[in-house]
Amino acid sequence: MSDDPQADAGEAEPTSEKLVELAKRRGYFFQSSGAYGGVGGFYTFGPQGAALKGNVEDAWRDRFAVAEGNMEIDAPTIMPEPVFEASGHLEGFDDMLVECPECGESHRADHVVEDNTEYEDAETLPIPEVEEVIAEYELVCPNCGAGLAGQAVETFNLMFATNIGPGDSDPGYMRPETAQGIFVEFPRLKEYARNQLPFGVTQIGRAYRNEISPRRSIIRTREFTQAELEYFIDPEEDEPDLEAVEDVEVTLYPASEQNANDGEEIETTIGEAVEEGVITSPWVAYFLGVAKPWYEAVGVDMDRFRFRQHLSGERAHYAADCWDAESEIDGNWIEMAGFAYRSDYDLSKHAEHSGDRFTVFRQYDEPKTVERATVDPDMSYLGPEFGGDAQAVVDELEALAARDRSAFDGETVEIDLEGESHEIPVEKTGFAVEEQTEAGEHITPHVVEPSFGVDRLVYTVLHHAYREDEVAGEDRTFLELEPEVAPTFVGVFPLQTDDELEAEAEAIAAELREAGLSVTYDESGNIGRRYRRQDEVGTPFCVTVDFESIEQEDGGVTVRERDSTDQKRLPIDDLAETLSAIRAGDLEFEEL
């Protein structure tokens, strides 16, 4: 069973091509519908990938839902059109498209620019400028090489449209983010939170974007998984616990540095970044401080990790400020998460479009006496005068009284109804200013949103875990995955083909499964080859049952650690407890 390494783990940077090949061969991920030629932008997670992804999601849930005391929901992936009219996605959820005049292939215009020029954030440029850059650099179609100069760059809405119901059905869309499923249910969710701010709602689920040119395997796809937290706060009263994260060290790339000719990343702490105004929102800073150590715990290389602030031209329509968590992959930075301060945009828009109340009642410490302008219109006048529009007139009068009581100072008051101006005698409006005693007021909460892309994180974890070295004179590829997220925690093998060894190994595997550990059993091939298979899928430990295990009273088993390939002899009776402690982080293999 000798397996001593002949060289230290290599530090050579793995290529994405090697990782994609390993992922397909070992069941991490592969393009979907391969029997039909595959479909761009859709990937299937195989047995290893689904387990890794599930472990990452569980780790996220433990930290951002359970540990933070937030609730979790599971909303539908299809929602009716009015939801996206209110959210702004129908109008503003677009990418820039340019079509090749020769082969007809469609491309992201900003990607064509970024891949072939010094521009790094072409999506922030206006369309006319992108067209100018394409012409100036004589950029060509990535597919066939035909020139793209002179081709119109157009906006393309990324949402997948569908119909809800048969016949004259209602239009709907596959959600482009899980967030809207939380926002539209706010009137009910606030009741579950007992109408007390702050509170958070999380969701892990699928989202859909009809990407123009999906690329780089699972980094940019048309169907993907998001893990999102919408945290609802009172912007005037609620403050985060910055003391809990103020000492977290972070690498920041603020917009000011990105715009400077000699700009560079900043090494600082969360506390210093807030104090110096680098991060203007304390709430965004808090969640950056929570996320940084979590990313490290699941296996992201901190030497290839940073938080980058969005430039003004690339912020989403709803974001007052946004920072991305980015990882470096083969020399390129990819976004893994966005931390946005969405203010009251979403709740205000849904209140405006739905007519429902998206507010929370804030109770005053002591009742206040205030002056309120009110109207009590004479419907015997408005009814005959405006017919079916009478209620709309009442609504306009109420709104006008709330925002500008001076409009009622004359003998008539002017309102606008569907673009037409109407004058109404003030005496018919029942206008009055009254003193009222109020116990509180209804406020629209603001929202802080950490939004994680699970698929991109899975890719990053695999890429950052990829290693190559030499063991016993043979080349070895292995994934140095954190035990918390590894698809399989332990492999159990009989040393060779033998009924007694196999029976004992199967019994040990069953006992470890009962202890809650993920286990694979393998009796195929020589022991070295079985070790290599488990190394390549990232299994942290292997347990080998030999004749000493069955011939002596608790003769023990050999436990091999993946990264160092060191081996230790452990009693069978203590095996489940020991391995469970290692997985929980309460014990190190080196301490055995």
Side-chain angles (χ1 to χ4, degrees):
M1 290 183 291
S2 177
D3 195 25
D4 295 329
Q6 300 300 309
D8 292 336
E11 297 297 328
E13 183 76 13
T15 64
S16 293
E17 288 76 13
K18 288 181 180 180
L19 179 58
V20 169
E21 190 278 330
L22 182 151
K24 183 177 180 179
R25 178 162 45 83
R26 290 301 185 193
Y28 270 101
F29 58 82
F30 47 87
Q31 191 173 36
S32 299
S33 304
Y36 293 91
V39 182
F42 293 93
Y43 278 79
T44 295
F45 284 87
Q48 302 295 337
L52 172 60
K53 184 180 175 190
N55 289 341
V56 168
E57 291 172 1
D58 288 343
W60 187 91
R61 181 179 286 110
D62 288 343
R63 184 63 191 87
F64 290 90
V66 177
E68 292 292 316
N70 298 320
M71 65 181 83
E72 181 177 1
I73 70 166
D74 184 6
T77 59
I78 296 175
M79 306 180 78
E81 185 176 67
V83 170
F84 301 109
E85 289 177 352
S87 68
H89 284 89
L90 284 183
E91 293 296 327
F93 199 65
D94 305 314
D95 276 341
M96 289 183 278
L97 179 150
V98 62
E99 187 173 298
C100 175
E102 295 296 329
C103 69
E105 190 79 10
S106 295
H107 305 284
R108 278 269 304 260
D110 53 319
H111 285 173
V112 173
V113 169
E114 290 169 357
D115 291 345
N116 298 282
T117 72
E118 73 277 10
Y119 289 91
E120 294 183 357
D121 298 300
E123 66 178 327
T124 66
L125 302 176
I127 283 180
E129 191 169 341
V130 172
E131 291 176 334
E132 291 174 5
V133 172
I134 290 175
E136 177 185 352
Y137 285 84
E138 299 181 347
L139 301 183
V140 301
C141 171
N143 187 51
C144 71
L148 297 176
Q151 292 300 112
V153 175
E154 301 175 341
T155 58
F156 175 76
N157 191 280
L158 300 178
M159 287 198 296
F160 283 102
T162 186
N163 294 309
I164 302 174
D168 294 332
S169 54
D170 296 322
Y173 292 89
M174 308 286 282
R175 64 185 183 192
E177 60 178 12
T178 64
Q180 296 307 317
I182 296 175
F183 293 138
V184 298
E185 306 302 346
F186 179 82
R188 187 176 297 275
L189 294 172
K190 71 179 182 181
E191 301 295 333
Y192 300 151
R194 300 181 303 283
N195 289 286
Q196 298 296 310
L197 295 175
F199 71 89
V201 183
T202 66
Q203 183 170 200
I204 301 174
R206 298 285 182 143
Y208 306 84
R209 299 180 185 179
N210 195 12
E211 294 283 352
I212 295 170
S213 51
R215 57 182 185 170
R216 300 179 68 185
S217 67
I218 60 173
I219 291 178
R220 185 175 296 278
T221 57
R222 290 179 167 127
E223 179 181 3
F224 52 94
T225 299
Q226 286 184 310
E228 292 193 302
L229 163 60
E230 307 304 328
Y231 201 73
F232 301 98
I233 64 169
D234 182 333
E236 296 182 4
E237 296 190 356
D238 294 331
E239 296 181 356
D241 180 15
L242 280 180
E243 287 187 5
V245 298
E246 63 182 356
D247 294 328
V248 174
E249 297 179 349
V250 288
T251 300
L252 303 180
Y253 195 23
S256 58
E257 293 296 317
Q258 297 173 58
N259 289 324
N261 291 331
D262 57 349
E264 57 185 18
E265 296 165 351
I266 297 173
E267 303 292 336
T268 185
T269 65
I270 291 294
E272 291 170 352
V274 173
E275 184 177 347
E276 296 170 4
V278 178
I279 305 174
T280 57
S281 166
W283 279 104
V284 170
Y286 172 77
F287 284 112
L288 295 185
V290 171
K292 194 299 186 71
W294 180 82
Y295 272 119
E296 185 173 11
V298 298
V300 176
D301 183 354
M302 290 295 103
D303 290 333
R304 295 186 279 171
F305 177 84
R306 71 184 184 187
F307 292 114
R308 184 185 69 85
Q309 186 179 27
H310 278 204
L311 299 172
S312 59
E314 65 177 312
R315 282 201 300 267
H317 57 273
Y318 49 72
D321 191 21
C322 187
W323 289 75
D324 283 348
E326 294 187 328
S327 64
E328 184 272 320
I329 300 292
D330 286 347
N332 299 307
W333 289 95
I334 67 166
E335 172 195 352
M336 293 189 295
F339 298 77
Y341 190 90
R342 298 178 75 130
S343 65
D344 63 352
Y345 175 88
D346 301 278
L347 299 186
S348 295
K349 286 294 185 179
H350 285 301
E352 176 187 337
H353 283 72
S354 70
D356 206 338
R357 177 170 280 180
F358 285 72
T359 58
V360 170
F361 186 73
R362 178 206 284 163
Q363 184 135 2
Y364 298 142
D365 293 335
E366 295 182 1
K368 296 181 180 180
T369 299
V370 298
E371 287 188 343
R372 295 291 184 201
T374 63
V375 293
D376 184 17
D378 182 353
M379 298 306 292
S380 65
Y381 168 80
L382 294 186
E385 188 73 18
F386 293 97
D389 292 331
Q391 185 56 51
V393 172
V394 173
D395 293 341
E396 287 296 318
L397 288 171
E398 289 177 344
L400 181 58
R403 70 175 182 266
D404 182 16
R405 65 181 65 174
S406 65
F408 294 82
D409 289 346
E411 294 185 358
T412 62
V413 61
E414 185 176 325
I415 65 165
D416 183 82
L417 193 64
E418 295 183 354
E420 292 187 17
S421 179
H422 300 273
E423 289 191 353
I424 301 171
V426 172
E427 65 178 10
K428 300 296 185 182
T429 67
F431 174 80
V433 177
E434 302 173 348
E435 284 193 349
Q436 297 178 352
T437 299
E438 297 180 346
E441 63 180 325
H442 287 273
I443 65 165
T444 302
H446 284 205
V447 178
V448 187
E449 178 195 69
S451 174
F452 289 65
V454 176
D455 307 66
R456 290 184 177 189
L457 175 54
V458 167
Y459 188 91
T460 294
V461 166
L462 288 171
H463 195 283
H464 288 188
Y466 186 95
R467 304 284 186 272
E468 293 176 347
D469 69 358
E470 187 178 291
V471 174
E474 295 182 359
D475 291 337
R476 177 176 75 136
T477 297
F478 68 104
L479 295 175
E480 195 175 335
L481 296 172
E482 292 294 330
E484 181 182 8
V485 299
T488 303
F489 182 71
V490 58
V492 179
F493 317 138
L495 177 61
Q496 62 190 56
T497 302
D498 179 89
D499 290 345
E500 288 188 82
L501 291 180
E502 291 169 5
E504 181 66 16
E506 288 174 347
I508 290 173
E511 181 181 353
L512 295 178
R513 290 190 183 102
E514 287 182 9
L517 300 175
S518 55
V519 180
T520 186
Y521 175 84
D522 188 359
E523 59 185 35
S524 174
N526 66 54
I527 194 69
R529 184 161 296 181
R530 281 179 271 172
Y531 284 156
R532 297 298 178 272
R533 281 200 290 266
Q534 295 309 309
D535 290 344
E536 201 166 38
V537 297
T539 304
F541 297 97
C542 291
V543 171
T544 300
V545 179
D546 55 25
F547 288 105
E548 185 179 344
S549 304
I550 59 176
E551 291 173 352
Q552 299 182 17
E553 184 176 349
D554 199 358
V557 290
T558 297
V559 179
R560 172 188 179 271
E561 195 266 341
R562 175 198 61 209
D563 303 337
S564 65
T565 71
D566 288 345
Q567 300 180 10
K568 296 181 184 290
R569 197 78 182 178
L570 297 181
I572 295 174
D573 290 346
D574 300 336
L575 188 61
E577 181 180 353
T578 299
L579 290 177
S580 295
I582 292 175
R583 191 185 188 284
D586 299 330
L587 181 67
E588 296 290 334
F589 181 75
E590 294 78 9
E591 298 172 357
L592 298 178

